[in-house]
Structure formats: C-alpha cells, structure tokens
Amino acid sequence: MNPPIPVLAPPRRQLPKAITLAHGGGGSAMRDLIDEVFIDTFKGTKGAPEDQARFDLAALMAQGDRLAFTTDGFVVDPLFFPGGDIGKLAVCGTINDLAVGGARPVALSCAVIIEEGLALDTLRAVARSMAETAGAAGVPIVTGDTKVVARGACDKLFITTTGIGVVRTGVEVGISRARPGDVVLVNGQLGDHGAAILNARGDLALETDIASDCAALHELIDRLIDAAPGVRMMRDATRGGVAAVLNELAAASGVGVRLRERDTPIRADVQGFCEILGLDPLYLANEGKIVAVVPPEQAEAALQALRAHPLGSGAVAIGRITDTRPGRVVMETRFGGERIVDMLVGDQLPRIC
C-alpha cells in the first residue's frame, strides 16, 4: 500500500506594511491576514479557523446552573495609552462584564473592523496584546471575524468582543437588589482610566504619569463572592464612572445612596488633573474598578477579601444605601455639607471610548 500523500497548505504571501481593501475581500489576501495576524497569534488561547466555537454542555453545567452572555464594542483614541491599549481594553472589558454578573468567564470572540491604511505592525501589536491578556486571564479567544473598510469609514480600528460565562449556583446579583443599610464598596482609586486617555491624546499639554487601571477582575470577584455570598450588586464603573453606576442603582432599587467624600479614593494627580480641567472624578471612566453593594454584616469580610488581592489592595467602603431620598445619590462633602451626584445627560468631555 502506498503511503498517503500529505496535503500541503498553500504558501503565504508576505503581507504589506499597511492594510488594503483586498484584506477584506474574502480572497487569499484576507486569509493570509487572518492566519498570520489572528490565528497564529491567538493559537495560544485556542484560536481556530472556524466560523463558530463549540462547547461541551456537560462541562459548562458542572461549573454552574446558568449561562451569562455579553457583548461590547470598543473604540478608543489613541489606540495605545499608558497602562493599556484597545486590545487589552476589549478583553478585560468583556471579562469584567461577565464577572460582575456573578459569572466565571469561559471564552471570548473577537470581531475587528479595520480602516484601510492601518499599519500592519499596529494591528499585530493589538492582536498580541489581546492574546497575552486573554492568556493571563485564562479566558481563550475562540472565534472571530475580520472586516476592512475604506479610509475614513472608521477611526483606525474598532473591536467587538463577546463573551460567555457560567454563573455559579446560588449567586444572585442585580442592579435592583440593593436594600437600606447595605454598604457600598470600591476596590481602589477611581478615575485613572478616564484621566489617562484624556491626557494621552496630547491635546491638553499636561505632564502627568497617570496610567489606565485596565485589568481583568474575575479572580478578584471570585474572592469577593466567596467572602460575601450575599453580595447584592456588582458593576464595573466604566463610562460615566461611579456616579453613573450609583444613579442606576438608586433608580432601579428605589433607594437612596449616601457617599462620603473623605472615604472616596482618588489619586492626588487625578484630583489635580480634574481640578485643572473642571472635571469631577466620580464621572471619569474606570477599567479596573468595581462598585459592589453588600449586606452590612458581610462588609468587613468583603473588604478583607478584596484587600488580599493585588487588584483590590486599596478597597474601601465609600457609603451606604438608605431609605431616604430614593433615586438620589448624595455626597457628604469634606466640609460637612452635601451635594447631589446626578446622572449626566452626556459626558464631561468628548467621549473617550
């Protein structure tokens, strides 16, 4: 019997230095781009050239009793900034959206829309960042899609990541579950990401070392749930910052929220940055911070669990849920007064993501 004849893959052509419309045309140029930039880069996190990923249902059910599903689009200028880049942001943001729902993230998908003319090295760097971040988090990128649009049709690169996770049995969290007496916690300094992005654009001519707090928080949240199984609500304080999260909570739960300015953790350089520009750091985006509401009897255990993890070492209680002024968030100022922390109609400055 003759040995089987091996099937050889066609040789890859050398990719140009910039993306062209041919890379989105569905032919060999597109296949070469996907294979070299995405498949090869994501292979360490189980990337595969399929139009879908498949999961063993029994293995998923062994981790919990419900499936969590989320999707998010990422647009940011600049693509690379102190503390991260659009690729890291996309992976961490979707992992965190799953985790704050009480889910353990299982897998991600990645869809990219690329503007004609984007430097290939830039795209490679973003893909490497995504692969490294997903690998470190233990959450593989398992499927995706690539599109190329003409110059001017998008701002360099847009990424959409979708994630699935499994909610462990018995975990019930939600924006409408807060009760008077509950304690409001955050896991560290607020406003770093928003300040870092605004400064990285270079329009403000300010010199500062502020870096984004971009991080995957699922392991930190696992510890929080273990220590405080009665946790009422968790949210990552992204666009709109802590102020937006707490206003949504107050409205959905029909409660008041009372914050203490003296206990609200904000770096001196972020505070100074905001004072120069007339911004309120409570409204600045975060990409590595959660707001958690826990029953009062579990608050201390929750804080200790958060502080035992590197991403929660600065965890503090910043306020309480009340039955007065339902639907309102009120800040006790350092000077003994009060101010309303309202929901903004738009953003303090042009959107950063």
Side-chain angles (χ1 to χ4, degrees):
M1 178 182 292
N2 295 326
I5 299 174
V7 177
L8 300 178
R12 293 182 189 173
R13 285 176 285 273
Q14 184 175 359
L15 293 175
K17 292 184 177 180
I19 300 299
T20 70
L21 288 176
H23 289 119
S28 59
M30 182 176 179
R31 175 48 54 194
D32 289 344
L33 176 71
I34 292 172
D35 285 349
E36 183 174 328
V37 176
F38 295 109
I39 300 299
D40 288 357
T41 304
F42 293 163
K43 63 185 178 184
T45 55
K46 301 181 182 178
E50 298 286 355
D51 285 337
Q52 78 295 126
R54 301 154 195 159
F55 299 91
D56 183 89
L57 293 179
L60 293 178
M61 291 176 63
Q63 300 181 56
D65 59 0
R66 285 157 294 161
L67 192 67
F69 175 66
T70 188
T71 191
D72 206 350
F74 295 86
V75 296
V76 65
D77 179 24
L79 296 179
F80 296 84
F81 47 84
D85 57 80
I86 189 172
K88 181 179 181 182
L89 191 64
V91 171
C92 291
T94 300
I95 286 174
N96 293 345
D97 283 349
L98 291 168
V100 295
R104 289 186 169 121
V106 172
L108 304 174
S109 73
C110 163
V112 296
I113 298 177
I114 312 165
E115 184 181 17
E116 177 191 13
L118 180 72
L120 187 65
D121 285 347
T122 298
L123 187 61
R124 283 196 177 107
V126 170
R128 283 196 300 270
S129 178
M130 295 187 76
E132 291 167 1
T133 305
V139 184
I141 300 169
V142 295
T143 191
D145 187 51
T146 304
K147 294 292 187 294
V148 178
V149 297
R151 293 177 190 270
C154 80
D155 186 10
K156 297 182 285 294
L157 179 66
F158 296 164
I159 299 177
T160 297
T161 41
T162 297
I164 62 168
V166 179
V167 183
R168 67 168 85 175
T169 304
V171 173
E172 295 287 349
V173 294
I175 197 72
S176 63
R177 296 178 64 86
R179 301 291 180 266
D182 289 347
V183 180
V184 180
L185 312 177
V186 295
N187 62 306
Q189 308 279 354
L190 304 175
D192 290 4
H193 178 73
I197 296 295
L198 290 171
N199 190 61
R201 288 180 173 173
D203 300 333
L204 305 176
L206 298 176
E207 293 186 6
T208 175
D209 294 328
I210 300 171
S212 171
D213 59 344
C214 187
L217 300 172
H218 55 309
E219 293 179 353
L220 174 74
I221 289 171
D222 262 355
R223 295 193 183 191
L224 172 61
I225 293 172
D226 286 341
V231 59
R232 312 278 198 201
M233 185 280 298
M234 297 177 289
R235 279 287 179 90
D236 51 337
T238 53
R239 274 202 309 267
V242 169
V245 170
L246 292 178
N247 273 279
E248 290 174 7
L249 167 72
S253 293
V255 297
V257 181
R258 193 166 186 86
L259 304 178
R260 298 179 298 273
E261 186 176 25
R262 69 177 183 275
D263 295 329
T264 304
I266 300 166
R267 298 181 197 280
D269 48 0
V270 172
Q271 186 69 54
F273 181 90
C274 289
E275 289 174 358
I276 290 172
L277 299 174
L279 304 176
D280 186 336
L282 290 180
Y283 295 92
L284 287 183
N286 308 267
E287 288 294 343
K289 298 297 181 296
I290 57 167
V291 177
V293 174
V294 299
E297 67 275 11
Q298 296 181 14
E300 186 57 34
L303 280 172
Q304 293 304 317
L306 291 172
R307 290 169 180 166
H309 190 281
L311 296 176
S313 59
V316 291
I318 62 170
R320 282 189 176 269
I321 305 301
T322 72
D323 56 5
T324 59
R325 304 171 86 170
R328 285 289 190 185
V329 180
V330 178
M331 171 78 82
E332 297 176 7
T333 70
R334 297 179 189 276
F335 306 105
E338 294 183 351
R339 70 179 178 95
I340 299 296
V341 180
D342 210 347
M343 178 78 84
L344 294 180
V345 174
D347 204 349
Q348 298 181 101
L349 282 175
R351 282 180 54 182
I352 61 171
C353 62

